[in-house]
Protein backbone atom coordinates (compact mmCIF):
# COMPACT_ATOMS: atom_id res chain seq x y z
CA UNK A 1 0.00 0.00 0.00
CA UNK A 2 1.48 3.30 -1.05
CA UNK A 3 1.31 6.18 1.43
CA UNK A 4 0.18 8.54 -1.28
CA UNK A 5 -3.01 6.50 -1.70
CA UNK A 6 -4.34 7.35 1.75
CA UNK A 7 -5.98 10.77 2.04
CA UNK A 8 -4.53 13.08 4.67
CA UNK A 9 -7.93 13.35 6.40
CA UNK A 10 -8.01 9.56 6.85
CA UNK A 11 -4.46 9.54 8.23
CA UNK A 12 -5.49 12.23 10.71
CA UNK A 13 -8.28 9.97 11.97
CA UNK A 14 -6.10 6.87 12.43
CA UNK A 15 -4.81 7.90 15.87
CA UNK A 16 -8.43 8.40 16.97
CA UNK A 17 -9.36 4.88 15.82
CA UNK A 18 -6.29 3.46 17.53
CA UNK A 19 -7.14 5.26 20.80
CA UNK A 20 -10.70 3.95 20.55
CA UNK A 21 -9.63 0.32 19.93
CA UNK A 22 -7.17 0.50 22.82
CA UNK A 23 -9.90 1.80 25.06
CA UNK A 24 -12.29 -0.96 23.98
CA UNK A 25 -9.60 -3.54 24.80
CA UNK A 26 -9.17 -2.03 28.27
CA UNK A 27 -12.93 -2.38 28.71
CA UNK A 28 -12.74 -6.03 27.62
CA UNK A 29 -14.54 -5.46 24.30
CA UNK A 30 -12.97 -7.72 21.69
CA UNK A 31 -15.30 -6.89 18.83
CA UNK A 32 -16.98 -3.65 17.80
CA UNK A 33 -19.42 -2.80 15.02
CA UNK A 34 -18.83 0.16 12.74
CA UNK A 35 -22.03 1.70 14.16
CA UNK A 36 -20.77 1.49 17.76
CA UNK A 37 -17.41 2.82 16.62
CA UNK A 38 -18.98 5.73 14.78
CA UNK A 39 -21.08 6.66 17.83
CA UNK A 40 -18.02 6.63 20.08
CA UNK A 41 -16.03 8.77 17.67
CA UNK A 42 -18.90 10.98 16.58
CA UNK A 43 -18.20 10.13 12.93
CA UNK A 44 -20.41 8.90 10.11
CA UNK A 45 -20.45 5.06 10.10
CA UNK A 46 -20.01 4.96 6.31
CA UNK A 47 -16.85 7.02 6.73
CA UNK A 48 -15.59 4.68 9.45
CA UNK A 49 -16.13 1.62 7.24
CA UNK A 50 -14.46 3.33 4.29
CA UNK A 51 -11.47 4.45 6.37
CA UNK A 52 -10.86 1.02 7.87
CA UNK A 53 -11.40 -0.82 4.58
CA UNK A 54 -8.34 0.98 3.21
CA UNK A 55 -6.17 -1.08 5.52
CA UNK A 56 -7.64 -4.48 4.76
CA UNK A 57 -11.09 -5.71 5.68
CA UNK A 58 -11.12 -6.86 9.30
CA UNK A 59 -14.84 -6.51 9.86
CA UNK A 60 -17.21 -9.48 9.79
CA UNK A 61 -20.83 -8.81 8.94
CA UNK A 62 -23.01 -8.99 12.07
CA UNK A 63 -19.99 -9.33 14.34
CA UNK A 64 -17.90 -6.28 13.62
CA UNK A 65 -14.21 -5.51 13.83
CA UNK A 66 -11.73 -7.44 15.96
CA UNK A 67 -10.41 -4.75 18.27
CA UNK A 68 -7.08 -6.38 19.17
CA UNK A 69 -6.18 -7.23 15.59
CA UNK A 70 -7.12 -3.79 14.32
CA UNK A 71 -5.24 -2.02 17.15
CA UNK A 72 -2.09 -3.97 16.22
CA UNK A 73 -2.61 -3.25 12.54
CA UNK A 74 -3.07 0.47 13.20
CA UNK A 75 0.02 0.62 15.41
CA UNK A 76 2.00 -0.92 12.55
CA UNK A 77 0.48 1.45 9.97
CA UNK A 78 1.18 4.49 12.15
CA UNK A 79 4.70 3.19 12.88
CA UNK A 80 4.06 3.37 16.61
CA UNK A 81 4.97 -0.27 17.25
CA UNK A 82 8.55 0.94 17.76
CA UNK A 83 10.36 3.67 19.65
CA UNK A 84 10.92 7.12 18.12
CA UNK A 85 13.44 9.50 19.58
CA UNK A 86 12.07 13.03 19.86
CA UNK A 87 14.09 16.23 20.19
CA UNK A 88 12.74 19.45 21.69
CA UNK A 89 14.05 22.89 20.81
CA UNK A 90 13.27 25.53 23.44
CA UNK A 91 12.64 24.72 27.08
CA UNK A 92 10.45 27.67 28.00
CA UNK A 93 7.01 27.10 29.47
CA UNK A 94 5.70 25.06 26.53
CA UNK A 95 8.89 22.98 26.21
CA UNK A 96 8.95 22.28 29.93
CA UNK A 97 5.28 21.26 29.89
CA UNK A 98 6.00 18.83 27.04
CA UNK A 99 9.04 17.33 28.78
CA UNK A 100 6.88 16.57 31.81
CA UNK A 101 3.65 15.72 29.91
CA UNK A 102 2.14 12.48 31.19
CA UNK A 103 0.26 11.68 27.98
CA UNK A 104 3.23 10.42 25.93
CA UNK A 105 3.88 6.71 25.83
CA UNK A 106 7.65 6.84 26.42
CA UNK A 107 7.96 3.41 24.83
CA UNK A 108 6.86 5.04 21.58
CA UNK A 109 7.80 8.71 21.82
CA UNK A 110 10.97 9.08 23.83
CA UNK A 111 12.10 12.65 24.43
CA UNK A 112 15.78 11.89 24.03
CA UNK A 113 17.31 15.33 23.60
CA UNK A 114 16.33 18.86 24.60
CA UNK A 115 17.96 22.17 23.72
CA UNK A 116 17.92 25.78 24.76
CA UNK A 117 20.23 28.75 24.28
CA UNK A 118 19.82 30.08 27.82
CA UNK A 119 23.02 29.36 29.84
CA UNK A 120 20.84 29.20 32.98
CA UNK A 121 18.97 26.20 31.54
CA UNK A 122 21.81 24.35 29.81
CA UNK A 123 22.95 21.43 31.98
CA UNK A 124 19.73 21.28 34.00
CA UNK A 125 17.85 17.99 34.12
CA UNK A 126 14.12 17.75 33.39
CA UNK A 127 12.40 14.37 33.66
CA UNK A 128 15.68 12.50 33.18
CA UNK A 129 16.89 14.54 30.19
CA UNK A 130 19.71 17.07 30.44
CA UNK A 131 19.10 20.30 28.54
CA UNK A 132 21.88 20.89 26.01
CA UNK A 133 23.24 23.95 24.22
CA UNK A 134 21.21 24.86 21.14
CA UNK A 135 24.50 25.29 19.25
CA UNK A 136 24.97 21.52 19.55
CA UNK A 137 21.50 20.74 18.21
CA UNK A 138 22.38 19.65 14.65
CA UNK A 139 25.33 17.53 15.74
CA UNK A 140 23.50 15.84 18.66
CA UNK A 141 20.31 15.15 16.71
CA UNK A 142 22.41 13.46 14.01
CA UNK A 143 24.43 11.52 16.60
CA UNK A 144 21.27 10.23 18.33
CA UNK A 145 19.40 9.53 15.05
CA UNK A 146 16.47 11.67 16.18
CA UNK A 147 13.79 11.79 13.47
CA UNK A 148 11.01 13.77 15.19
CA UNK A 149 11.39 17.30 16.47
CA UNK A 150 9.30 19.71 18.51
CA UNK A 151 9.69 23.48 18.10
CA UNK A 152 8.91 25.29 21.35
CA UNK A 153 11.05 28.40 20.97
CA UNK A 154 9.61 31.95 20.58
CA UNK A 155 8.20 32.70 17.09
CA UNK A 156 11.19 34.81 16.03
CA UNK A 157 13.58 31.89 16.55
CA UNK A 158 11.41 29.08 15.20
CA UNK A 159 12.69 29.12 11.60
CA UNK A 160 16.34 29.03 12.65
CA UNK A 161 15.84 26.17 15.14
CA UNK A 162 13.72 24.19 12.64
CA UNK A 163 16.50 24.51 10.04
CA UNK A 164 19.06 23.21 12.56
CA UNK A 165 16.81 20.23 13.23
CA UNK A 166 16.31 19.42 9.56
CA UNK A 167 20.07 19.73 9.00
CA UNK A 168 20.52 17.11 11.73
CA UNK A 169 18.22 14.67 9.92
CA UNK A 170 14.86 15.37 11.52
CA UNK A 171 12.05 14.48 9.11
CA UNK A 172 8.89 15.32 11.07
CA UNK A 173 8.30 18.53 13.02
CA UNK A 174 5.62 19.58 15.46
CA UNK A 175 5.60 23.37 15.68
CA UNK A 176 4.23 25.03 18.82
CA UNK A 177 5.53 28.48 17.90
CA UNK A 178 2.69 30.65 16.56
CA UNK A 179 4.39 31.31 13.24
CA UNK A 180 4.75 29.78 9.77
CA UNK A 181 7.89 27.82 8.86
CA UNK A 182 9.51 27.54 5.45
CA UNK A 183 11.11 24.08 5.15
CA UNK A 184 12.09 21.59 2.43
CA UNK A 185 9.09 19.79 0.92
CA UNK A 186 10.10 16.36 2.18
CA UNK A 187 9.91 17.50 5.82
CA UNK A 188 6.54 16.80 7.45
CA UNK A 189 5.29 19.75 9.45
CA UNK A 190 2.35 19.98 11.83
CA UNK A 191 1.35 23.18 13.58
CA UNK A 192 -0.06 23.13 17.08
CA UNK A 193 -1.90 26.41 17.21
CA UNK A 194 -3.99 26.40 20.37
CA UNK A 195 -5.80 29.40 18.97
CA UNK A 196 -7.10 27.34 16.06
CA UNK A 197 -8.84 24.95 18.46
CA UNK A 198 -10.38 27.78 20.47
CA UNK A 199 -11.61 29.37 17.24
CA UNK A 200 -13.26 26.14 16.16
CA UNK A 201 -14.99 25.93 19.56
CA UNK A 202 -16.09 29.57 19.37
CA UNK A 203 -17.73 28.84 16.01
CA UNK A 204 -20.22 26.54 17.71
CA UNK A 205 -21.08 28.90 20.58
CA UNK B 1 -27.07 29.80 7.32
CA UNK B 2 -27.60 26.99 9.77
CA UNK B 3 -24.55 25.64 11.64
CA UNK B 4 -25.66 22.10 11.03
CA UNK B 5 -25.23 22.63 7.29
CA UNK B 6 -21.49 23.09 7.49
CA UNK B 7 -19.48 19.86 7.74
CA UNK B 8 -17.17 19.60 10.75
CA UNK B 9 -14.15 19.13 8.48
CA UNK B 10 -14.90 22.46 6.79
CA UNK B 11 -15.28 24.20 10.15
CA UNK B 12 -11.90 22.78 11.18
CA UNK B 13 -10.32 24.38 8.12
CA UNK B 14 -11.82 27.86 8.67
CA UNK B 15 -9.14 28.97 11.17
CA UNK B 16 -6.48 27.95 8.61
CA UNK B 17 -8.13 30.06 5.91
CA UNK B 18 -8.44 32.97 8.32
CA UNK B 19 -4.76 32.71 9.31
CA UNK B 20 -3.82 32.61 5.63
CA UNK B 21 -5.91 35.67 4.71
CA UNK B 22 -4.48 37.59 7.66
CA UNK B 23 -0.98 36.71 6.55
CA UNK B 24 -1.72 37.78 2.98
CA UNK B 25 -2.98 41.13 4.27
CA UNK B 26 0.23 41.59 6.26
CA UNK B 27 2.14 40.93 3.05
CA UNK B 28 0.02 43.53 1.24
CA UNK B 29 -1.81 40.99 -0.94
CA UNK B 30 -5.40 42.18 -1.35
CA UNK B 31 -6.56 39.43 -3.70
CA UNK B 32 -5.71 35.76 -3.90
CA UNK B 33 -6.74 33.03 -6.36
CA UNK B 34 -8.03 29.70 -5.10
CA UNK B 35 -4.98 28.07 -6.71
CA UNK B 36 -2.54 30.27 -4.77
CA UNK B 37 -4.57 29.71 -1.63
CA UNK B 38 -4.56 25.94 -2.12
CA UNK B 39 -0.78 25.91 -2.64
CA UNK B 40 -0.23 27.90 0.55
CA UNK B 41 -2.48 25.64 2.56
CA UNK B 42 -1.47 22.40 0.86
CA UNK B 43 -5.13 21.67 0.08
CA UNK B 44 -6.93 20.72 -3.12
CA UNK B 45 -8.08 23.90 -4.95
CA UNK B 46 -11.53 22.38 -5.62
CA UNK B 47 -11.91 21.82 -1.87
CA UNK B 48 -10.87 25.42 -1.17
CA UNK B 49 -13.43 26.80 -3.63
CA UNK B 50 -16.13 24.52 -2.23
CA UNK B 51 -15.33 25.46 1.38
CA UNK B 52 -15.38 29.19 0.70
CA UNK B 53 -18.49 29.06 -1.49
CA UNK B 54 -20.43 27.87 1.58
CA UNK B 55 -20.01 31.32 3.07
CA UNK B 56 -21.05 33.33 0.06
CA UNK B 57 -19.16 33.76 -3.19
CA UNK B 58 -16.44 36.39 -2.77
CA UNK B 59 -14.25 35.16 -5.58
CA UNK B 60 -14.14 36.84 -8.98
CA UNK B 61 -13.06 34.79 -11.97
CA UNK B 62 -9.54 35.71 -13.04
CA UNK B 63 -9.05 37.96 -10.02
CA UNK B 64 -9.64 35.74 -7.02
CA UNK B 65 -10.84 36.34 -3.50
CA UNK B 66 -10.70 39.65 -1.73
CA UNK B 67 -8.52 38.88 1.26
CA UNK B 68 -9.71 41.65 3.60
CA UNK B 69 -13.38 41.01 2.96
CA UNK B 70 -13.00 37.28 3.41
CA UNK B 71 -10.89 37.68 6.58
CA UNK B 72 -13.64 39.85 8.08
CA UNK B 73 -16.32 37.40 7.01
CA UNK B 74 -14.41 34.46 8.51
CA UNK B 75 -13.85 36.32 11.77
CA UNK B 76 -17.60 36.89 11.97
CA UNK B 77 -18.41 33.26 11.10
CA UNK B 78 -15.93 31.94 13.66
CA UNK B 79 -17.25 34.45 16.23
CA UNK B 80 -13.77 35.78 16.79
CA UNK B 81 -14.73 39.39 16.05
CA UNK B 82 -15.48 39.73 19.77
CA UNK B 83 -13.83 38.87 23.09
CA UNK B 84 -14.33 35.48 24.72
CA UNK B 85 -13.49 34.92 28.34
CA UNK B 86 -11.58 31.69 28.86
CA UNK B 87 -11.21 29.78 32.14
CA UNK B 88 -8.35 27.36 32.86
CA UNK B 89 -8.62 24.49 35.32
CA UNK B 90 -5.26 23.25 36.59
CA UNK B 91 -2.15 25.41 36.66
CA UNK B 92 0.49 22.69 36.42
CA UNK B 93 3.07 22.78 33.64
CA UNK B 94 0.54 22.76 30.81
CA UNK B 95 -1.78 25.31 32.46
CA UNK B 96 1.13 27.61 33.20
CA UNK B 97 2.38 27.33 29.62
CA UNK B 98 -1.07 28.28 28.34
CA UNK B 99 -1.39 31.26 30.69
CA UNK B 100 1.89 32.61 29.34
CA UNK B 101 1.43 31.47 25.71
CA UNK B 102 2.20 34.29 23.29
CA UNK B 103 0.04 32.92 20.46
CA UNK B 104 -3.38 33.93 21.82
CA UNK B 105 -4.86 37.17 20.65
CA UNK B 106 -5.95 38.49 24.06
CA UNK B 107 -8.48 40.73 22.33
CA UNK B 108 -10.27 37.54 21.26
CA UNK B 109 -9.38 34.88 23.81
CA UNK B 110 -8.94 36.46 27.20
CA UNK B 111 -7.84 34.10 29.96
CA UNK B 112 -10.02 35.69 32.61
CA UNK B 113 -10.02 33.08 35.37
CA UNK B 114 -7.65 30.28 36.43
CA UNK B 115 -8.11 27.62 39.08
CA UNK B 116 -6.08 25.07 40.99
CA UNK B 117 -6.61 23.10 44.18
CA UNK B 118 -3.01 23.47 45.38
CA UNK B 119 -2.93 25.98 48.31
CA UNK B 120 0.62 26.90 47.26
CA UNK B 121 -0.69 28.16 43.92
CA UNK B 122 -3.96 29.78 44.98
CA UNK B 123 -3.52 33.54 45.21
CA UNK B 124 -0.46 33.62 42.96
CA UNK B 125 -0.53 35.83 39.88
CA UNK B 126 0.43 34.57 36.44
CA UNK B 127 0.39 36.98 33.49
CA UNK B 128 -2.03 39.31 35.28
CA UNK B 129 -4.48 36.64 36.43
CA UNK B 130 -4.75 35.49 40.04
CA UNK B 131 -5.09 31.73 40.48
CA UNK B 132 -8.27 30.93 42.42
CA UNK B 133 -9.42 27.98 44.50
CA UNK B 134 -10.87 25.18 42.36
CA UNK B 135 -13.77 24.97 44.82
CA UNK B 136 -14.87 28.39 43.58
CA UNK B 137 -14.75 27.36 39.91
CA UNK B 138 -18.46 26.92 39.21
CA UNK B 139 -19.49 30.09 41.03
CA UNK B 140 -16.76 32.26 39.52
CA UNK B 141 -17.21 30.98 35.97
CA UNK B 142 -20.92 31.79 36.22
CA UNK B 143 -20.21 35.22 37.73
CA UNK B 144 -17.76 36.12 34.94
CA UNK B 145 -19.92 34.62 32.16
CA UNK B 146 -17.04 32.45 30.96
CA UNK B 147 -18.12 30.29 28.01
CA UNK B 148 -14.85 28.60 27.03
CA UNK B 149 -12.86 26.35 29.33
CA UNK B 150 -9.48 24.63 29.21
CA UNK B 151 -8.85 21.44 31.17
CA UNK B 152 -5.19 21.18 32.21
CA UNK B 153 -5.50 19.05 35.37
CA UNK B 154 -4.12 15.49 35.67
CA UNK B 155 -6.22 12.83 33.87
CA UNK B 156 -7.78 11.48 37.07
CA UNK B 157 -9.29 14.89 37.90
CA UNK B 158 -10.32 15.94 34.41
CA UNK B 159 -13.91 14.63 34.52
CA UNK B 160 -14.65 16.32 37.86
CA UNK B 161 -13.20 19.67 36.80
CA UNK B 162 -14.99 19.53 33.43
CA UNK B 163 -18.31 18.95 35.21
CA UNK B 164 -17.70 21.95 37.46
CA UNK B 165 -17.04 24.06 34.38
CA UNK B 166 -20.19 22.91 32.59
CA UNK B 167 -22.21 23.54 35.75
CA UNK B 168 -20.90 27.11 35.67
CA UNK B 169 -22.17 27.61 32.13
CA UNK B 170 -19.13 26.74 30.03
CA UNK B 171 -20.22 25.53 26.59
CA UNK B 172 -16.94 24.74 24.84
CA UNK B 173 -14.05 22.79 26.35
CA UNK B 174 -10.49 22.23 25.23
CA UNK B 175 -9.13 19.16 27.01
CA UNK B 176 -5.37 18.79 27.47
CA UNK B 177 -5.67 15.88 29.91
CA UNK B 178 -4.89 12.60 28.12
CA UNK B 179 -8.25 11.03 28.97
CA UNK B 180 -11.78 10.82 27.62
CA UNK B 181 -14.54 13.00 29.12
CA UNK B 182 -18.20 12.17 29.43
CA UNK B 183 -20.20 15.40 29.12
CA UNK B 184 -23.70 16.52 28.07
CA UNK B 185 -24.19 16.40 24.30
CA UNK B 186 -24.64 20.16 23.93
CA UNK B 187 -21.14 20.83 25.28
CA UNK B 188 -18.51 21.13 22.55
CA UNK B 189 -15.37 19.22 23.40
CA UNK B 190 -11.99 19.20 21.66
CA UNK B 191 -9.10 17.04 22.76
CA UNK B 192 -5.54 18.24 22.48
CA UNK B 193 -3.62 15.00 22.47
CA UNK B 194 -0.06 15.83 21.54
CA UNK B 195 0.49 12.13 21.01
CA UNK B 196 -2.04 12.12 18.18
CA UNK B 197 0.01 14.69 16.27
CA UNK B 198 3.25 12.78 16.79
CA UNK B 199 1.55 9.59 15.61
CA UNK B 200 0.35 11.30 12.44
CA UNK B 201 3.90 12.50 11.79
CA UNK B 202 5.36 9.03 12.47
CA UNK B 203 3.01 7.60 9.83
CA UNK B 204 4.81 9.56 7.12
CA UNK B 205 8.35 8.63 8.23
Amino acid sequence: MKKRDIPKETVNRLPLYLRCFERLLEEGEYTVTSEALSRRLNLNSYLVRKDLSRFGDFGTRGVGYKTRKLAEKLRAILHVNRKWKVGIGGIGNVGFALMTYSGFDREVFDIAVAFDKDPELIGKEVNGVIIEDEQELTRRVKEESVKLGIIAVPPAEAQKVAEKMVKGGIQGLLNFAPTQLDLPEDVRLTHMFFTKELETLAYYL
Side-chain angles (χ1 to χ4, degrees), chain A:
Chain A
M1 188 170 40
K2 275 174 265 148
K3 305 234 142 162
R4 297 291 156 88
D5 297 343
I6 311 295
K8 202 171 145 190
E9 296 294 351
T10 301
V11 174
N12 285 339
R13 283 190 289 270
L14 299 185
L16 304 178
Y17 291 126
L18 175 57
R19 200 76 66 254
C20 193
F21 288 127
E22 285 175 340
R23 210 172 173 223
L24 285 161
L25 280 172
E26 281 167 25
E27 294 170 11
E29 304 282 347
Y30 297 103
T31 57
V32 62
T33 62
S34 55
E35 287 75 19
L37 205 53
S38 67
R39 273 196 304 276
R40 273 191 180 239
L41 291 164
N42 198 18
L43 293 171
N44 181 295
S45 67
Y46 167 76
L47 186 73
V48 168
R49 278 194 298 275
K50 198 176 162 199
D51 277 350
L52 296 179
S53 73
R54 289 181 188 278
F55 305 101
D57 183 13
F58 292 90
T60 309
R61 200 172 285 272
V63 178
Y65 297 95
K66 288 187 179 148
T67 45
R68 187 183 302 276
K69 202 168 169 185
L70 216 34
E72 273 167 28
K73 179 88 181 167
L74 281 172
R75 270 193 288 267
I77 289 167
L78 284 167
H79 303 153
V80 294
N81 51 356
R82 52 159 283 182
K83 188 180 275 198
W84 291 96
K85 286 187 184 175
V86 179
I88 301 191
I91 314 304
N93 297 325
V94 172
F96 187 78
L98 288 167
M99 287 185 83
T100 55
Y101 182 60
S102 66
F104 291 131
D105 180 351
R106 306 279 158 176
E107 293 303 307
V108 179
F109 296 110
D110 173 32
I111 296 175
V113 282
F115 304 91
D116 206 283
K117 64 172 191 181
D118 181 354
E120 298 265 316
L121 289 174
I122 296 164
K124 289 223 168 113
E125 190 190 307
V126 180
N127 217 358
V129 177
I130 290 172
I131 301 170
E132 299 178 74
D133 189 337
E134 206 176 278
Q135 295 192 344
E136 301 295 319
L137 195 153
T138 301
R139 186 182 66 76
R140 288 284 294 133
V141 155
K142 201 174 279 177
E143 192 170 84
E144 296 280 341
S145 299
V146 179
K147 297 295 171 210
L148 285 170
I150 295 176
I151 305 284
V153 293
E157 291 166 44
Q159 178 68 31
K160 186 190 67 188
V161 170
E163 284 172 11
K164 283 185 184 179
M165 286 191 171
V166 171
K167 212 172 154 192
I170 279 181
Q171 294 166 356
L173 273 175
L174 199 53
N175 177 30
F176 281 84
T179 185
Q180 299 291 322
L181 296 175
D182 187 17
L183 296 172
E185 278 206 2
D186 58 342
V187 177
R188 277 278 155 184
L189 178 63
T190 301
H191 292 278
M192 292 294 275
F193 291 163
F194 303 137
T195 307
K196 175 187 173 297
E197 307 303 330
L198 285 176
E199 283 172 354
T200 309
L201 283 173
Y203 168 82
Y204 291 105
L205 298 192

